[in-house]
Amino acid sequence: MRRNTRPTSLIILFAILASSIAATSAPVDPRIREIGRWPYGAAGTVTWDDDLLYFGTGSVLQVWRFTPPDELDLVSEIRLAETAREIAVVDDLLFIAVGPAGFQIVDVHNPTSPAVVSSTRAHGACLGIAVVDDIAWLAAWRSGVQAFDVSNPARPVRASAVVPALEVISVTAAED
């Protein structure tokens, strides 16, 4: 699987869109300017790969294309089983933590027509997700950390779980 690449210039985009910047009295860098606003309420999660941004806004996944220096265009959207909590990108697949519904895998090889490949229930609410070497690691709240084999994205298989004494709300995984 290829690693996710994230252009650092997009971090500035999100800082620009944050309303808290406009409310501060500190001097504003003249090179930073607003290029648009997010009109859909809270975006629960966002990630990107190359020129595509993936927003989980409520139970909808939206795909946007960012073209420097200042174009942001909606490409498509698709309904999810529940509220998107976190998104991991691997190749042309999005692995999306969707709370009590577990996680969904969405194929975005054609960004104009994303398709749900599978929906898998986990034990507990899936709040976070990370994917390394065909294993999806889930932060499953009171059900701990769960591992699913996703070598066949259409049929994820639960591989193992670790249930610590406290709730798990996030996972991070790294390749060797």
Side-chain angles (χ1 to χ4, degrees), residues 15-136:
I16 294 167
L17 298 177
S19 61
S20 62
I21 288 179
T24 64
S25 60
V28 176
D29 185 332
R31 295 171 297 174
I32 298 175
R33 61 189 172 80
E34 182 178 296
I35 61 170
R37 291 188 181 260
W38 182 252
Y40 304 102
T45 183
V46 63
T47 194
W48 61 91
D49 189 35
D50 297 326
D51 65 337
L52 295 174
L53 287 86
Y54 305 104
F55 288 93
T57 177
S59 61
V60 173
L61 170 75
Q62 291 188 324
V63 180
W64 290 74
R65 185 173 311 279
F66 177 70
T67 309
D70 60 3
E71 292 294 320
L72 191 59
D73 298 306
L74 179 63
V75 175
S76 63
E77 61 183 35
I78 188 171
R79 281 224 163 273
L80 300 172
E82 287 276 345
T83 300
R85 307 297 178 112
E86 190 169 25
I87 303 169
V89 181
V90 179
D91 297 327
D92 289 331
L93 296 175
L94 303 180
F95 295 80
I96 306 169
V98 287
F103 71 101
Q104 291 186 276
I105 301 175
V106 176
D107 184 341
V108 290
H109 81 275
N110 178 359
T112 62
S113 183
V116 174
V117 174
S118 63
S119 296
T120 304
R121 289 229 179 245
H123 299 287
C126 186
L127 304 178
I129 192 163
V131 181
V132 175
D133 295 333
D134 292 330
I135 301 293

